[in-house]
Each structure stands twice: as C-alpha cells, then as structure tokens.
Amino acid sequence: MRKVYLDHAATTPILPEVLEAILPYFKDAYGNPQSLHGWGDDAREAIEDARGRVADLIGAQPEEIIFTSSGTESNNLAIKGLAMAQQSKGKHIVISAIEHFSVLHSARTLEKWGFELTLVPVDRCGLVDREDVAKNIREDTILVSVMHANGEVGTIQPIREIARLAKEAGAIFHTDAVATTGTIPVNVKELTVDALSLAGNQLYGPKGIGALWVKKGVRIIPFLDGGVQEGGRRAGTENVPAIVGLGKAAELAKEEMESRMEHLSALRNRLIGGLLSRNEHVTLTGHPTQRLPGNASFCIEFIEGEATLMLLSSKGVAASSGSACTSRALKASHVLTAMGIPPEIAQGSLLFSLGLENTEEDVDYVLEAMPPIVDKLRQMSPLYAKFLKGERGGR
C-alpha cells in the first residue's frame, strides 16, 4: 500500500543533513556548554554557531536569539515574559481570536493575574483587519500578538501593517511565526516586530527545540529560574544536539527557500483544484491566495473529520482535522468558528499539509481516494439523508 504523509503541520521529517549534523553531539561532543574545559568549549561553540544560523534565517542578531524547548515554550515566554516586563505601563493585551493555544492560554493565564485581554476578530478567510486592531488598542495596551500565519487554515496575516499600529501606540508586538519560519521568507526587520517565535519541527529540524527572538533593548522577564543559560533569559542545561539540528535546518531553509515554495505551491494548487472539482459540498478554508504554500484545508459537509482521517489512514494517507493540537478534541476548531463557520460544518474540517518529499503522484493518489471515502461517510450520515430529501435544517 502506498504511504503518503500529508501532516507536515503537525511535524516535519528531519532532513538527512540535519541528522548527520546532530549525531556527533550525542556520542563524542557530549559536554555541558557551561563547563570550563574542552568538552564544554566544543558544545558551547556549536550552540553559538547554531544561534548565528537561526539569526541569519530571520535577519536578526545572534545575541537576540533565545533557545527554548518548543514553539509552545517560546510563545509562553513571549506572552508572559513581555507582559510582566511592561506591566508598569499598563495591563491590557490584544491578540487575535485564532491564535495557537500556547498564545491564547498564556493570555488567559495573564487575565487570572490581573491583566485585561481583548480578542480581535477575523473575517471569513481568517484575516485580521488592521482597523479592528487599531480600535482595540488603548493607552494602557502593552502587548499585541498576532500570528504570522495560521497553520490550520494557512492564512498569512499582514503583520507589517499590524505591527506598525501597535508600535505607533507604544505597545510591544509579538508574532507567532512557527508556521512560517523556514517555509516562507521571514525577516524581523521587514516585519517590524519586537519578538518572534519559531520551532524546529516545522522546518525539517528535530522536535523538542524552538527559539524566541527578542529585539535588542526589549525587556522580557524569564519564567524559568535556575542558571545563567541563554543570557539568564532561559535557565536549564542546553539541548545541544537539538540546537545544532535547528541551526542546520535553518541554514538549509534559507538556501532552499525559493525552490521549496515553488514545489509546495504547485502541489497545493493541484490538490485544491482536484479535490474541489471531484467532490460536492466541499469548501476551501482560509484565504484563497494569501496562504502557506503547503496548506490545503477544507470543510466537507455532512461528515466528520475524524472519520475521514481514519479511512484515509486505512489507505496509507496521513492528514489532520483542524490543528495538530486540537485533532484529538471532539469539538469544533476555535479557528474555524472564529471565522464564522458553523460548528456542524467545522466538524468536517480536513487539513492536508504538504512537504518537501511529496510528489504529484502522492497528490493524485489522494484525489483518487477521497471521493469513495466521502461517499461512504455521507451514506451513513443522517444529515446528508435529510439534505437529499430537501430538509436543509441540518446544514
């Protein structure tokens, strides 16, 4: 049976070059970077080399990069650490309604600590309107966070324009760029942001490693107490192999950016066009053109996403329903409902996220597999039976 992995939004496979770079730091160069001897020197030099490569990918300075354990930790550190550092100026935070849970839940935690939170809505395509951001920024607004792109529906936000609004009002601006860094060009100077989160497993690096870029001069309060690692901003013995892997993945991403985007965009367009033409009552979610090159997300009416995933898996195809962090939750995605999609339709969400190893043959295999799966599930659906009888109340 053919195996087709189309769940790169959940995680990407590690590239061979990345694995090769990592292996020596498990076996031979195993020193603690804080140790004052040769083994420690080797590990410390490897970390600083990786820091420079990550910084180069996003147009930053090496000393502005803080290594973390994941995109989730980076977002937690950004939201909580930046807000706590600025609280003498105010306690109002603005984020979009479709942020990753690591941003949304961090902001909710700050509410419990006495901060005030405003959620900015999005339109049917998942776009944040800069005017909605502007009208919600107040004198006591200290932090605005809007994701660069949503990994679930693929919509890319106009971050530069939104960041400018925040900074004109004197607020710090953070963006969750986990879905974009290494996938499309990301330059912190061009985006005019103050802080940016990224993760290794989204750019063909190892899992368990992320980074937070914080612009020089912007204060942030660490929330891990301990040693002096990462300039005192993130305590804990460094994960040297993963950091080295992230550095190598960042280097490759910068070198191959253009060809990767071209390859993924072509496959995405083939998949979107084919699925929409071969299946009725299927809608594309997210912005039709302003979207991630490897993202093809849909809502399929009258069926549930989880059932679709199981039947696809029986055909050797890996996909997801909603975001990677909500695919096990038996409720409609907060992203889709924020976009105005009714919960009963959002339950049929399906995300194909393409990767570098995918081919046209993979796409065609999925296009052939989908119609029988959709037909089979609809035959078991009472909502579809009502629809066929002209009773449209279930839609």
Side-chain angles (χ1 to χ4, degrees), residues 47 203 260 308 346:
I47 286 178
L203 61 149
R260 289 185 183 186
T308 309

Side-chain angles (χ1 to χ4, degrees), residues 41-71:
D41 293 342
D42 291 343
R44 188 164 54 253
E45 289 173 7
I47 286 178
E48 295 313 313
D49 178 69
R51 198 186 308 278
R53 297 185 191 202
V54 174
D56 191 44
L57 175 63
I58 62 173
Q61 296 301 312
E63 62 270 19
E64 298 172 319
I65 300 293
I66 305 170
F67 288 120
T68 67
S69 66
S70 61

Side-chain angles (χ1 to χ4, degrees), residues 6 15 26 53 67 69 97 112 121 132 186 195 197 206 218 234 247 272 286 292 310 320 334 359 369-370 373 382:
L6 296 180
L15 291 174
F26 282 116
R53 297 185 191 202
F67 288 120
S69 66
K112 299 175 183 177
D132 285 331
V186 173
S197 303
V218 174
R234 200 274 184 180
I272 291 174
L292 294 170
M310 288 188 288
S320 61
H334 76 288
T359 64
M370 278 299 296
I373 290 175

Side-chain angles (χ1 to χ4, degrees), residues 229-292:
Q229 293 88 352
E230 298 303 294
R233 299 170 296 183
R234 200 274 184 180
T237 302
E238 299 93 337
N239 185 349
V240 180
I243 290 173
V244 169
L246 176 57
K248 185 62 178 180
E251 177 189 23
L252 294 171
K254 183 173 183 181
E255 292 174 355
E256 302 170 3
M257 183 73 66
E258 186 174 344
S259 62
R260 289 185 183 186
M261 291 177 62
E262 183 179 351
H263 173 69
L264 293 176
S265 296
L267 293 180
R268 176 201 65 194
N269 295 340
R270 187 184 187 94
L271 180 53
I272 291 174
L275 196 65
L276 293 178
S277 65
R278 298 185 189 205
N279 299 271
E280 294 182 337
H281 311 298
V282 177
T283 56
L284 181 72
T285 54
H287 197 280
T289 57
Q290 197 170 312
R291 67 187 301 128
L292 294 170

Side-chain angles (χ1 to χ4, degrees), residues 10-79:
T11 193
T12 55
I14 192 168
L15 291 174
E17 300 95 323
V18 174
L19 179 60
E20 183 180 357
I22 287 174
L23 290 178
Y25 296 90
F26 282 116
K27 184 180 178 183
D28 300 317
Y30 51 81
N32 186 320
Q34 300 303 316
S35 298
L36 299 179
H37 48 59
W39 286 268
D41 293 342
D42 291 343
R44 188 164 54 253
E45 289 173 7
I47 286 178
E48 295 313 313
D49 178 69
R51 198 186 308 278
R53 297 185 191 202
V54 174
D56 191 44
L57 175 63
I58 62 173
Q61 296 301 312
E63 62 270 19
E64 298 172 319
I65 300 293
I66 305 170
F67 288 120
T68 67
S69 66
S70 61
T72 287
E73 186 191 334
S74 295
N75 283 337
N76 271 260
L77 175 56
I79 300 303

Side-chain angles (χ1 to χ4, degrees), residues 109-128:
T109 295
L110 286 173
E111 277 192 302
K112 299 175 183 177
W113 295 349
F115 289 78
E116 187 176 351
L117 173 64
T118 297
L119 296 182
V120 176
V122 296
D123 65 15
R124 187 78 176 191
C125 292
L127 272 176
V128 175

